[in-house]
Amino acid sequence: MLDGKVKSKLDERLDRFNELDAKLADPSVGSDPQIGDYMRERGTLAKSMETYRDYLAVLQELTDNQEIAADVNQDAELRELAAMEIPDLTEKVVALEAEIIDMILGQGADNNRNAILEIRAGTGGEEAALFAGDLYRMYQNYANARGWKFDTMSMSQSERGGFKEVIVSVEGENVFRDLRMEGGGHRVQRVPETETQGRVHTSAATVAVMPEAEEYEVEIKPEDLQISIQCSGGPGGQSVNTTQSSVRIIHVPTGITVFMQEEKSQHKNKAKGMRVLRSRLYELKKAEEDAKRAAERRGQTGSGDRSERIRTYNFPQDRCTDHRLQKNFALGDIMEGKLDKLITELVEYAKQEDLKV
C-alpha cells in the first residue's frame, strides 16, 4: 500500500483536479482571464489523476471483498466468491501502485515526455570543450541504441572540434524519465592531447535535461519577445550563404535568450528556438511550483566548476564513478554510450528520492 505521506500528496492533487473540473464546468468561467491556465493545469493532471482514481476504486473493492470474506455472518457462497476475487484485486492494486510511483511522484508526470539536452563546456578551456564533445557522442550513441531520435538543434564548436555549447532534442519512449538524472556537473580526469609532459588534468562540463513542453502548456505572448535575425557568416566574416539566417530570441520578462543558426531557413531556426524557449519556461514554471525542482535545476545548470559534479570519468584508472549511486562503471562502455545499467540504477534511485519529498 502507498504510505501515508505519498497518499497525502496524491489526495492534494486529486482535490485540485476536482476543483479545476468544477471551475471549468461553471458557465461563468468563460469570462475568467485565467481559463487558459486552468485548462493547462487540468491537462497536466488529467492522466495521473485518472490512474489514482482507478487505484482508489480497486483498493476500495479489495477492502470490501476482504471484509466480506472475513465476516462469518455473511452467506457462505458470497464469502467464497469474495475470497476468490482477492488475489486478482491485490495484483491490480500492486500494478497501479507501481504505475503511480513511476508516473506521478516528483518528476513522474514528465516521464514520457521528449527532452531538450544542453551540454556546455565548463572549467578547463579547450579540454573541457573536447569533453563536452565526448558527452555529446556518448548520448548520441545511447539514443541510437534505444531507437530514439537525436536531433542537434544548435552548436558552438571550439577550435579543436569540441563543443563550447550544444543543444539537442531527444524524442522517443520514456526519454525524460531515463535522461533526467544526467543533469548536473560531469568531471573528467585525463591527459589532454595538448599536454606534452603526460600530466593528468581535471576539466568539467555541465548537462541540463529539460522535459519538452507542448505549446498549450506554456503561454508566450508575442509582445514579450525580442527577435533579431541576421545572415550567418563564413570564415573571415564573408557571407557564404545569404539564405542561412540565424535567429536570436529574448524572452523579456525572464531574460532567457536562445540563439539558433543550424538551419538554412530563418523560419526553421525560429521554430527550433521557440521549442527550446518553451521548454526552458516550462522548467522555470515547474521550479517555481516546486522547491525541489528549483534546487535540482540550479544543480543542473551550475557554474561548471570542477567541484560541482554528479559523475567523474577517470581515464588513468579506467573507471566512471557516479557519486549519487557511489558506484563505479567500466569507463570504456560508458563513453561508447552503453548506459543501460547505469540508467536503470539511476531511474530507481530517482524514484526513491522522489518518495522522500
Side-chain angles (χ1 to χ4, degrees):
M1 302 295 176
L2 296 173
D3 67 35
K5 189 175 181 181
V6 171
K7 191 174 183 304
S8 176
K9 177 187 285 190
L10 292 168
D11 286 339
E12 287 179 11
R13 294 186 185 184
L14 183 57
D15 288 343
R16 177 57 178 167
F17 183 68
N18 292 333
E19 180 184 347
L20 290 167
D21 268 350
K23 283 182 181 291
L24 293 171
D26 185 345
S28 65
V29 80
S31 59
D32 191 327
Q34 290 186 289
I35 185 171
D37 293 334
Y38 296 151
M39 293 177 69
R40 282 189 288 272
E41 186 179 355
R42 188 194 181 282
T44 300
L45 289 171
K47 188 175 181 180
S48 60
M49 288 301 99
E50 287 169 4
T51 301
Y52 186 50
R53 280 174 170 172
D54 289 344
Y55 167 79
L56 292 176
V58 175
L59 182 62
Q60 185 60 54
E61 189 176 356
L62 173 61
T63 301
D64 291 344
N65 278 38
Q66 289 172 331
E67 290 177 354
I68 292 172
D71 188 352
V72 295
N73 296 318
Q74 288 284 357
D75 177 78
E77 186 175 348
L78 182 60
R79 290 176 62 194
E80 184 178 355
L81 287 172
M84 288 176 60
E85 294 180 356
I86 287 175
D88 184 51
L89 290 170
T90 301
E91 187 176 332
K92 288 181 179 178
V93 167
V94 172
L96 285 168
E97 284 179 354
E99 186 176 351
I100 286 169
I101 291 172
D102 281 342
M103 185 176 65
I104 299 172
L105 298 179
Q107 308 239 7
D110 294 326
N111 274 344
N112 291 320
R113 290 180 186 269
N114 298 324
I116 300 294
L117 189 69
E118 300 183 357
I119 306 171
R120 295 184 178 85
T123 305
E126 184 63 35
E127 169 63 9
L130 291 171
F131 177 52
D134 292 335
L135 293 178
Y136 168 86
R137 286 180 287 276
M138 178 183 77
Y139 293 125
Q140 184 178 44
N141 289 338
Y142 178 63
N144 290 340
R146 292 291 300 272
W148 294 342
K149 182 180 178 182
F150 190 87
D151 178 32
T152 303
M153 306 178 74
S154 174
M155 66 171 68
S156 174
Q157 290 188 290
S158 65
E159 292 180 2
R160 291 179 171 268
F163 289 119
K164 297 176 183 176
E165 175 186 276
V166 59
I167 301 175
V168 175
S169 165
V170 188
E171 300 177 11
E173 185 177 358
N174 290 324
V175 166
F176 184 70
R177 183 196 70 180
D178 291 349
L179 290 181
R180 60 173 278 206
M181 296 301 287
E182 293 303 296
H186 295 242
R187 184 177 69 167
V188 63
Q189 295 174 322
R190 64 184 175 188
V191 179
E193 296 176 8
T194 54
E195 173 58 53
T196 59
Q197 298 183 30
R199 292 176 298 183
V200 174
H201 287 228
T202 298
S203 303
T206 57
V207 175
V209 183
M210 299 174 292
E212 184 164 3
E214 301 291 344
E215 286 190 36
Y216 72 87
E217 294 176 302
V218 180
E219 181 183 10
I220 301 178
K221 299 177 182 178
E223 60 267 28
D224 288 340
L225 300 178
Q226 289 183 359
I227 302 176
S228 57
I229 299 169
Q230 65 186 63
C231 290
S232 299
Q238 297 177 346
S239 180
V240 294
N241 187 346
T242 57
T243 64
Q244 183 176 357
S245 297
S246 61
V247 175
R248 185 183 302 276
I249 304 173
I250 301 175
H251 185 251
V252 177
T254 61
I256 294 174
T257 301
V258 179
F259 181 74
M260 288 287 160
Q261 63 175 359
E262 298 308 306
E263 298 289 345
K264 295 180 180 180
S265 161
Q266 66 174 319
H267 300 293
K268 290 182 178 179
N269 279 326
K270 181 181 176 182
K272 285 189 173 183
M274 290 300 292
R275 285 175 63 191
V276 174
L277 175 61
R278 193 177 300 116
S279 294
R280 289 182 183 176
L281 289 172
Y282 177 78
E283 182 76 357
L284 183 62
K285 174 186 173 183
K286 298 282 280 188
E288 291 171 347
E289 293 171 352
D290 189 325
K292 176 178 178 290
R293 288 291 299 274
E296 181 177 51
R297 177 61 180 161
R298 286 194 296 272
Q300 286 192 26
T301 56
S303 66
D305 184 80
R306 293 183 181 93
S307 62
E308 296 183 358
R309 65 188 186 277
I310 60 168
R311 192 175 300 147
T312 296
Y313 305 73
N314 189 309
F315 278 73
Q317 298 181 20
D318 194 29
R319 60 175 168 78
C320 176
T321 304
D322 191 279
H323 302 292
R324 297 156 300 180
L325 299 175
Q326 297 183 355
K327 189 171 182 179
N328 294 330
F329 297 84
L331 180 64
D333 288 345
I334 296 297
M335 299 311 295
E336 290 175 9
K338 298 175 182 177
L339 305 177
D340 292 289
K341 188 174 187 299
L342 171 61
I343 294 294
T344 298
E345 293 194 28
L346 283 172
V347 168
E348 182 60 30
Y349 171 86
K351 189 185 300 183
Q352 296 306 316
E353 288 298 301
D354 288 341
L355 286 169
K356 296 177 183 178
V357 178

